Structure formats: C-alpha cells, structure tokens
Amino acid sequence: MSGQEIDWQRIREILVFGKDQQSLERRSQIWRGIDVNGNGYLSLAEIDKGLRDILRLDEIFDCKPAIMRAFMAAKNAVKTKSSHGPDYVERAEFRLLLLYLQQYFEYYQAFSKVDKNNDRKIEMNEFLQAVPLMEKWMGKIGNPSAEFAKIDTNGGGVILFDEFCQWAIARNLDLEEDCN
C-alpha cells in the first residue's frame, strides 16, 4: 500500500471504535457480519475475511503485518473466563481491535516509508536517511545511531516491524497525512 494515496477519513469512518451509541450500534452490525458462525469469537482468518468482505478495506486487508499485530494486541486486551479467549478476539475486545487495526496500519505506512528497499526491515542507512521524516511524525531524535540501537531490541542489526511498532507507540507516532 506504500506509495498509494490512502483515504484516512474513509478508514476512520469504517473502523468505528468510538464509545458513543451510534458507534456501538455500527460495531454490533460489523461484529454480526464477521462472526458468521455466531460463536462469539473471531479468529485471525475471520477478521481477515471480514476486512475484505464486510468492511471492504482492501488497503488494510493487503497489509498482513498490521492485521497480525492488531489481532495479537486485541485478543488478550480484556480478561475473560472463557477458555478460548486467549486465542481469539471476543466481543468485549472488538472495539479495541478496530482501533488497533487503524493504529497498526498507520505504523506500517510509516515503516514502509522508511524501508526504502521494501525488504520488511529497516537498515541503519535507511533509518539515518529517514530521520527528518520521522522527526515530523514523533519529534526530535537526538542521537540517531543510539536510537536505532535502542529500537533494535533483538540486536539483529535491523529494525523489524514489531520493534518499530514498540518504538512508534512509545514515541506517539502520528503520520501527518492521516489527519486530512
């Protein structure tokens, strides 16, 4: 999806994670459309299919790393007594799933802008070249080499999407174009 124009307003309208009554009603409709077997749980596959068939968000459907991160974050967000809960998104976690889908999709767009060779990892030279851009999103980066080492939590010499997300969350990343 990198390089294409993203309709952030449309995404915000479809991924209704507000706490108002209208958002709750819309989320209930979406839930029923995705939970086709009515068991009260959403698997990763059901969410993936729902993004394409129910929500028609192809731009997010095509962004599997963002879907996976959102699913992992949401499925354990609310403690339940269900034995299946830790493996699935339950109704109580659905609002957070929709929020996380938008958030991780935004992180992936940022990650892709830095990952110039599209190998799904950010090398030191890519990071250094992107410092001015990243500073627009999240403020001053004092020592870029030290920051890179801090982000590279597994010490692999590259920044993976997971690592980038943790950093983006801590730094409150906000793409300027998603505010249009």
Side-chain angles (χ1 to χ4, degrees):
M1 196 66 215
S2 185
Q4 295 179 10
E5 195 63 34
I6 296 168
D7 186 348
W8 291 102
Q9 179 63 33
R10 180 176 165 272
I11 290 171
R12 279 192 297 277
E13 289 170 1
I14 293 172
L15 296 177
V16 288
F17 50 83
K19 294 182 178 180
D20 59 283
Q21 186 62 34
Q22 185 177 2
S23 295
L24 176 62
E25 290 168 8
R26 177 69 181 119
R27 260 194 317 281
S28 292
Q29 287 178 321
I30 296 168
W31 174 269
R32 287 189 300 274
I34 296 175
D35 183 23
V36 292
N37 61 9
N39 68 357
Y41 302 101
L42 297 181
S43 68
L44 180 58
E46 288 171 314
I47 292 165
D48 197 47
K49 185 176 183 329
L51 281 165
R52 184 191 65 208
D53 298 346
I54 305 301
L55 298 175
R56 301 192 194 301
L57 284 171
D58 292 340
E59 56 269 54
I60 296 179
F61 173 77
D62 292 337
C63 191
K64 301 308 183 202
I67 298 169
M68 175 59 83
R69 296 301 150 256
F71 175 77
M72 296 302 287
K75 74 182 181 79
N76 295 313
V78 177
K79 299 288 182 217
T80 66
K81 295 178 182 178
S82 168
S83 62
H84 301 297
D87 300 320
Y88 300 94
V89 170
E90 297 179 68
R91 181 67 179 99
E93 299 162 324
F94 189 56
R95 185 188 76 79
L96 290 173
L97 172 71
L98 297 176
L99 171 66
Y100 295 154
L101 282 167
Q102 180 178 321
Q103 184 178 29
Y104 283 100
F105 181 66
E106 181 177 2
Y107 295 158
Y108 194 79
Q109 296 313 304
F111 181 86
S112 295
K113 288 176 190 274
V114 178
D115 177 24
K116 292 294 186 190
N117 66 4
N118 298 315
D119 63 355
R120 293 193 176 200
K121 53 190 171 201
I122 298 172
E123 298 165 3
M124 176 68 85
N125 64 332
E126 291 172 315
F127 185 82
L128 294 174
Q129 289 174 9
V131 165
L133 181 61
M134 292 185 293
E135 286 182 336
K136 288 181 186 177
W137 302 332
M138 56 184 100
K140 185 80 174 133
I141 298 172
N143 179 339
S145 297
E147 194 73 13
F148 182 92
K150 185 173 109 180
I151 300 165
D152 179 20
T153 57
N154 71 0
V158 295
I159 297 171
L160 303 174
F161 181 58
D162 262 356
E163 295 169 322
F164 184 84
C165 287
Q166 292 305 312
W167 181 64
I169 291 166
R171 295 286 305 250
N172 200 24
L173 179 144
D174 186 24
L175 289 179
E176 66 279 358
E177 62 263 22
D178 78 340
C179 297
N180 295 336

